[in-house]
Amino acid sequence: MTLDDAITQSTATLKARAAGLSPQVAVLLGSGWGPVADKVQGAIDVPYKDLPAFPALGVGGHTGQVRLGRIGNQAVAVLAGRKHAYETGEADGMKGAIRTLAALGVKVLLQTNAAGSLDVGMRPGELMLITDHINTVQRSPLFNEPGDKRFIDMSAAYDPALRETALDAAATVGITLHEGVYAWCMGPQFETPAEIRMLRAFGAQAVGMSTVPETILARHAGLRVLALSMLTNMAAGMEAQTLSHAHTLATAQSGSARAVELVEAMLAAIHV
Ligand code: HPA
């Protein structure tokens, strides 16, 4: 099956299963953001394995799923499960999924992730709005893409108007929302202290192993992007600690109630 056929089929399946619901906002859940899915009313779950454009995940027995429904008044498609570049070395694992969202009529992609903090003023458990990114990996999900459209403008990749909306929503519910630049490192190993010093000198405030490929794909597909990081640790060498995935997940869990509240407030404020 070609990718275009897989996208057509996946779009038809999502439309058929959630008849009458036309989500204009999609939320892509990163580590620690899973509880956002619990807020979906009238949830209809479609496993990725029923959607040929979506990636096979298989890590830890989770296959990934799209949950369709409403959070507050906003019709949403919530994606639980992301293919990371560190699994295969390829950055285009979410290409079919993002293009299916666009074909479904989604206009805004709200991305979430877990990240390390490079700024001593941003502490573990706190939240950061991504203002821009640094693709330190210098890989693209658009390799092999034909045509001139692949030369996409990335000068306002994280939508300025949506960022204002997000900051206002955070202020309204009284949640501290830092702002900063997210640096993508491939992983799966954490960074070295020398790499973190380099990234700080480059002007990054947070570091993580996801999000950037999906932002590129979303901009290419014409979606507006908003992205939130939950800071789960101070980056390597900044404090006496060893980094582990278990620690990342545990900190993410402790911050998730606030994260869920922020997403709800933001979704209520987004008028597409
Ligand atoms: N580095 C990379 N990815 C991460 C980190 C980190 O320190 N914390 C959570 N995800």
Side-chain angles (χ1 to χ4, degrees):
M1 195 187 304
T2 66
L3 181 62
D4 283 347
D5 287 344
I7 292 166
T8 304
Q9 201 172 308
S10 302
T11 308
T13 299
L14 289 170
K15 278 191 177 150
R17 302 254 183 115
L21 191 84
S22 310
Q24 294 197 299
V25 179
V27 186
L28 177 53
L29 301 179
S31 300
W33 293 81
V36 169
D38 299 338
K39 295 292 172 185
V40 178
Q41 315 265 304
I44 295 163
D45 291 339
V46 184
Y48 285 4
K49 65 176 169 47
D50 293 354
L51 303 168
F54 281 59
L57 296 181
V59 183
H62 298 292
T63 62
Q65 65 174 20
V66 182
R67 175 165 287 183
L68 298 151
R70 284 181 192 281
I71 297 181
N73 286 329
Q74 193 76 250
V76 289
V78 178
L79 275 63
R82 179 195 247 134
K83 189 85 176 173
H84 291 90
Y86 60 67
E87 297 173 61
T88 60
E90 303 298 329
D92 64 353
M94 294 300 283
K95 186 191 272 187
I98 303 282
R99 291 189 185 168
T100 298
L101 294 176
L104 194 65
V106 166
K107 304 284 185 254
V108 172
L109 178 65
L110 170 54
Q111 293 214 61
T112 62
N113 64 37
S117 171
L118 274 60
D119 180 336
V120 290
M122 302 194 310
R123 304 300 305 167
E126 295 184 336
L127 298 161
M128 187 189 94
L129 178 67
I130 299 180
T131 56
D132 202 350
H133 74 223
I134 302 175
N135 181 351
T136 67
V137 174
Q138 284 298 295
R139 296 243 183 170
S140 174
L142 303 178
F143 288 167
N144 299 319
E145 194 68 28
D148 285 352
K149 197 183 151 204
R150 75 187 124 163
F151 300 107
I152 48 167
D153 177 30
M154 293 293 287
S155 53
Y158 299 88
D159 194 89
L162 288 176
R163 274 159 42 206
E164 283 302 316
T165 304
L167 291 168
D168 287 349
T172 303
V173 290
I175 292 175
T176 302
L177 183 58
H178 300 287
E179 294 180 85
V181 173
Y182 175 93
W184 174 38
C185 286
M186 176 78 102
Q189 74 288 346
F190 286 104
E191 300 71 37
T192 64
E195 287 166 345
I196 294 303
R197 288 194 296 276
M198 176 190 78
L199 294 174
R200 290 180 67 174
F202 278 6
Q205 280 78 43
V207 59
M209 303 177 195
S210 69
T211 306
V212 166
E214 294 85 355
T215 294
I216 297 169
L217 286 165
R219 295 303 298 138
H220 183 256
L223 305 186
R224 297 163 74 197
V225 177
L226 195 55
L228 296 169
S229 290
M230 186 188 298
L231 304 163
T232 54
N233 55 278
M234 298 310 292
M238 293 183 65
E239 284 185 355
Q241 58 172 9
T242 49
L243 300 180
S244 70
H245 189 54
H247 179 265
T248 296
L249 292 180
T251 308
Q253 210 160 25
S254 70
S256 69
R258 221 172 334 153
V260 169
E261 198 188 336
L262 179 62
V263 169
E264 285 184 294
M266 282 168 46
L267 289 173
I270 294 174
H271 303 288
V272 180

